[in-house]
Amino acid sequence: MLKNLWYVACLADELDQRPRAARMLGHDFVLFRSAEGAIACLADTCVHRGAPLSQGRCVAAGVQCPYHGWVYGHDGRCVQIPALGQDARIPERARVDAYPVAERFGLVWVFLGDLADRARPAIPDFLPEYLDADGWAFLHGRFDYAANWERVFENHIDSAHTHFIHADFGNPDDPRVPTATVHTEGLGAWAEHSYKPRPKRGPLGQLLDEHRPMVRTRLAFDLGGMGVRLAIRMTETMRQVVFQAFTPVDDTHCISHYIQARNFLTEPEHDASMRADLEKIFTEDRQILERLRPVLAPESPAGEVSVGSDALPAAFRQQVRRWRSAHGRVRSPDRSGIDSISAIASPARSGSGGWVFPSA
Ligand code: FES
Ligand SMILES: [Fe+2]
C-alpha cells in the first residue's frame, strides 16, 4: 500500500460529533467533527494504555479517550489528563499523529503521510460537475471488496473485461478494444474509448441498434486522490460520470467510495434503481476480483502477461511502481496489535522525535 497520498475515509454526511473509526493502510484512525464543523483525523490508539479513541466521545477541545479520559485536540496533542487535575503539566510524548483532512465532493479525504503541505500531491479535480451542479444529480455510496486495492483499482480502468463480466452493456460479439492513446499526466493517465453497445433483441431492437450512436467513454485515474473517473457519453445529450476513490483497508480488503453524476433521470425517485444498476456492475467485478491470484498484484511486469489492450492498467502499474520506489510501501503488519503497533507517520513527525509508536 502507498503512503503520502490522499484517501477517502468516509462520506461527509457520515461524520458528526461522534468519533468514527476507520481502518486504512492496515492502521486504525479516528475521525470526528467539531461543533463548528472542523474535521480531524487522528491515529486511533491512545498513547496512555492503548484504548481506541474512536470508542470515546467528542468534547469541546477534541476527542476524549474512553479509558481514563485523556483529551486529544485536533492537532493530536493531549490537552487534558483528568486524573492530574486542571493545571497539570502534560508530558511532551502524550500525543498521537494528526493527519491533514479535506472535505471535497461530499467525501472526507485524509492525507496519510508526513509530507509538508507544499510537497503533497493535490486532490485532483475529479468531479467538476459537482461544483457546477446545474442539471446534474449525484448519488454517493460505498462498496466493499475482500481483494487487494491494486487489483480493484486496475479493474476500473480495464476496458477489456467489460465484454465478459458485464452482460448488460458489454458486447461479447465484438470484444475488441481499439488501441487508445494513453496520456500520462502527473500521477495519473487517461484514455478515450468508444464501443457499440450490446445489440438489443428482436427486429425493433436491431433497427434501433442501427441508429444507436457509439458509446464514448473517457477513463482517467490519479494516484493523488487514489481515484478513477469514468465519463460516459451515452447519447448526444445523456452524460454519466462514475467517480470512485479507492481506500485500502489492508493488503486484502479495499473500499470504494463512489459518486455517480448523471444529467438524465435526475429526480431523487430514480436513485434507488440507479444505485441497484451500479452495484450490480460492482458485484459482477467483485465476484472475479476476490478470486484473483496471487492476491497482491505482481510487483514486476514479468509476473504476468500484458498485451496492448492493457495500456491504461499498465500506466497505472507504472505510476504505482514510481511512487513506491520514491515513498516506500506500507504492508499489513503481521502481528499488529498483539505485541506492538505502528502508526502512519504524520507531517508533525518531520523535525520532531519522541513518538510513542514507531512509524510504519
Ligand atoms: S488509555 Fe486512554 S486515557 Fe488511558
Ligand atoms: Fe467492471
Side-chain angles (χ1 to χ4, degrees):
M1 296 171 285
L2 303 180
K3 56 187 173 181
N4 284 331
L5 298 170
W6 289 95
Y7 290 99
V8 172
C10 62
L11 306 178
D13 61 14
E14 290 176 320
L15 204 55
D16 53 25
Q17 283 145 49
R18 280 168 303 183
R20 179 184 173 88
R23 191 163 174 81
M24 299 182 279
L25 308 188
H27 290 75
D28 292 313
F29 300 87
V30 56
L31 291 111
F32 55 96
R33 203 189 268 282
S34 70
E36 294 73 39
I39 294 173
C41 177
L42 310 180
D44 192 34
T45 306
C46 179
V47 294
H48 178 221
R49 289 295 180 267
L53 300 178
S54 53
Q55 295 294 306
R57 64 187 185 113
C58 286
V59 293
V63 64
Q64 183 166 44
C65 179
Y67 200 2
H68 311 91
W70 291 22
V71 174
Y72 294 87
H74 284 219
D75 63 356
R77 286 194 174 273
C78 178
V79 292
Q80 196 192 338
I81 298 180
L84 301 185
Q86 265 311 325
D87 300 319
R89 198 189 70 82
I90 308 287
E92 187 64 18
R93 291 174 74 236
R95 62 173 165 172
V96 295
D97 287 277
Y99 302 90
V101 289
E103 196 169 337
R104 190 102 26 108
F105 316 127
L107 305 170
V108 174
W109 301 76
V110 182
F111 184 76
L112 296 181
D114 57 1
L115 296 182
D117 196 1
R118 63 187 180 288
R120 283 172 216 151
I123 299 172
D125 188 13
F126 279 125
L127 210 51
E129 295 81 1
Y130 202 80
L131 305 175
D132 187 10
D134 213 21
W136 291 88
F138 300 93
L139 193 62
H140 286 70
R142 178 208 327 275
F143 203 77
D144 295 342
Y145 299 84
N148 174 252
W149 72 274
E150 260 182 274
R151 297 286 202 186
V152 176
F153 192 110
E154 181 182 69
N155 166 260
H156 293 279
I157 50 171
D158 169 7
S159 301
H161 82 281
T162 303
H163 305 290
F164 295 91
I165 294 290
H166 305 302
D168 286 354
F169 62 96
N171 186 355
D173 297 329
D174 187 6
R176 286 171 300 172
V177 177
T179 310
T181 308
V182 172
H183 306 265
T184 300
E185 278 172 13
L187 299 182
W190 60 272
E192 289 178 331
H193 296 94
S194 51
Y195 67 95
K196 195 87 180 155
R198 185 186 182 86
K200 298 284 172 268
R201 287 179 202 286
L204 177 60
Q206 276 175 19
L207 187 66
L208 285 171
D209 276 332
E210 282 171 25
H211 300 283
R212 271 181 100 185
M214 298 283 277
V215 173
R216 296 189 193 286
T217 65
R218 182 179 156 126
L219 258 171
F221 76 85
D222 198 306
L223 295 192
M226 205 46 88
V228 170
R229 173 189 160 95
L230 167 63
I232 312 168
R233 205 172 96 149
M234 305 164 79
T235 68
E236 272 308 308
T237 55
M238 288 166 67
R239 301 277 189 282
Q240 182 181 183
V241 177
V242 180
F243 166 67
Q244 296 187 78
F246 298 98
T247 306
V249 174
D250 54 31
D251 274 328
T252 56
H253 296 83
C254 177
I255 296 175
S256 152
H257 289 93
Y258 67 81
I259 305 173
Q260 182 216 43
R262 59 181 195 270
N263 72 351
F264 55 92
L265 301 177
T266 51
E267 301 77 14
E269 74 225 43
H270 299 293
D271 282 356
S273 76
M274 289 289 157
R275 190 183 302 282
D277 287 353
L278 212 52
E279 296 206 350
K280 175 174 185 291
I281 294 166
F282 296 158
T283 301
E284 289 164 352
D285 287 321
R286 180 165 65 186
Q287 279 164 359
I288 195 81
L289 287 170
E290 294 185 349
R291 289 170 175 79
L292 301 182
R293 296 294 179 271
V295 172
L296 305 193
E299 262 183 51
S300 152
E304 60 199 346
V305 178
S306 297
V307 294
S309 49
D310 298 318
L312 200 55
F316 163 66
R317 294 288 183 85
Q318 205 172 9
Q319 294 279 21
V320 169
R321 280 196 295 273
R322 269 184 45 205
W323 198 257
R324 192 158 47 210
S325 61
H327 298 268
R329 76 162 72 212
V330 185
R331 275 264 163 90
S332 293
D334 285 345
R335 285 170 57 80
S336 179
I338 297 176
D339 47 16
S340 65
I341 67 159
S342 59
I344 303 290
S346 61
R349 289 206 183 210
S350 353
S352 73
W355 294 83
V356 174
F357 303 127
S359 58

